[in-house]
DNA sequence: ATATCATGGTTATATTATAACCTTAGAGGG
DNA sequence: CCCTCTAAGGTTATAATATAACCATGATAT
């Protein structure tokens, strides 16, 4: 493994963010985050669990779920509800509205930093609904899978 | 039960749509749809199953899941991924982009008929991603729960 | 040093969803 | 009207996802 691994750099940078926030960065948390950063696709909680387990790094599912909740809370990972899976945030560790384009065919996910639709925030505002969390996910087929179907 | 039940009317209207489409409307499908229309909140597959089971109308979970898939396909119901639950579509049986405001506190859901954010469709177009299905859900707190917290 | 609290371990189980295979019943052709 | 074909549903078992509840450990702060 070369020194210049983009995924590791991302992990390091996220790690630094946590430290700066005064939040505790444990080995397990870092391991999970690292796995997510190295994955080409979102990983299910049990994918993560199995990997960490094999490496002698995780004990049981609850540990993994706790870490995932933590990472999502900290804005370092996202839960993709359409997949029941998790992905490292690739847009910086600030809270943001992320939108996902998920390819049904190859499973890759494209995270976009676009604002919530105005019509949505307008509706919320006019009905007095306080938005706390937005999920926006588009399932479909990415260009390369369209052009070179399996 | 009075003759003028809004939920029943909705069910009838949806029912008619199916018939017009030449799609088969079975007793089970109608029962599930009716349950969804009468529910104040989205129902989980097992909520539906338990209710139908008690009424001697359903056999086992797969039957319910099959009906739910069917109803979603036909645009008569929606799956709310944030809740792992299902709600009758209250906007007409045409395929449409629905957006949901889900109150964490009282569980009620507000279905809005707003278009997908332009920024999303633009991004998809520019990257060659073919969108097949969009999930947009906002979790939060509705006005009445904000004003009269439990 | 020790009390406190966040973290993780552990066991068990809840909840959501589907695979695989068989039976029934409705639609349509003869 | 009967037969065939197929869509729908029944049935059993199990997979996949997630959490409850309680205990052990180890960092932190005074």
């Amino acid at each position: 493994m070369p020194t210049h691994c983009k995924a590791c750099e991302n992990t390091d940078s996220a790690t630094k963010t946590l430290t700066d926030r005064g939040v505790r960065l444990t080995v397990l948390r870092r391991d999970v985050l690292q796995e997510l950063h190295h994955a080409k696709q979102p990983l299910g909680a049990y994918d993560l669990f199995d990997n960490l387990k094999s490496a002698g790094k995780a004990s049981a599912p609850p540990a993994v779920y706790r870490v995932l909740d933590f990472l999502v809370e900290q804005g370092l990972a996202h839960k993709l509800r359409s997949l029941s899976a998790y992905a490292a945030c690739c847009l910086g560790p600030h809270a943001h509205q992320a939108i996902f384009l998920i390819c049904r065919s190859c499973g890759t996910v494209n995270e976009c930093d676009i604002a919530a639709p105005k019509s949505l925030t307008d509706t919320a505002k006019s009905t007095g609904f306080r938005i706390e969390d937005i999920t926006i996910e588009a399932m479909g087929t990415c260009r390369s899978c369209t052009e070179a179907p399996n």
Side-chain angles (χ1 to χ4, degrees), chain A:
Chain A
M1 193 76 82
T3 317
H4 293 298
C5 166
K6 185 68 178 140
C8 286
E9 277 172 27
N10 286 341
T11 306
D12 287 343
S13 136
T15 289
K16 181 161 183 321
T17 303
L18 288 191
T19 309
D20 290 352
R21 282 182 195 162
V23 169
R24 234 155 101 196
L25 182 72
T26 63
V27 175
L28 186 57
R29 286 171 175 174
R30 194 174 199 286
D31 287 343
V32 171
L33 186 54
Q34 179 117 327
E35 284 253 8
L36 288 178
H37 271 298
H38 278 93
K40 295 226 160 40
Q41 304 171 5
L43 296 177
Y46 278 77
D47 295 333
L48 283 160
F49 171 62
D50 292 344
N51 294 347
L52 293 168
K53 180 87 176 182
S54 308
K57 290 172 168 175
S59 53
V64 174
Y65 278 101
R66 278 185 297 236
V67 169
L68 288 170
D69 288 348
F70 170 83
L71 293 175
V72 169
E73 228 167 56
Q74 295 293 324
L76 300 180
H78 297 285
K79 173 162 189 174
L80 300 170
R81 296 189 177 281
S82 304
L83 301 176
S84 295
Y86 301 81
C89 174
C90 60
L91 294 178
H94 52 289
H96 62 271
Q97 301 297 347
I99 295 188
F100 302 90
L101 303 181
I102 307 168
C103 179
R104 284 203 154 91
S105 174
C106 63
T108 55
V109 167
N110 183 358
E111 179 181 359
C112 317
D113 196 359
I114 15 188
K118 186 160 185 316
S119 50
L120 172 55
T121 51
D122 282 352
T123 303
K125 184 169 281 182
S126 74
T127 60
F129 186 93
R130 179 159 39 87
I131 293 175
E132 286 153 15
D133 181 64
I134 299 186
T135 297
I136 305 185
E137 300 174 15
M139 297 290 298
T141 310
C142 71
R143 171 176 285 154
S144 45
C145 286
T146 300
E147 290 172 354
N150 298 326

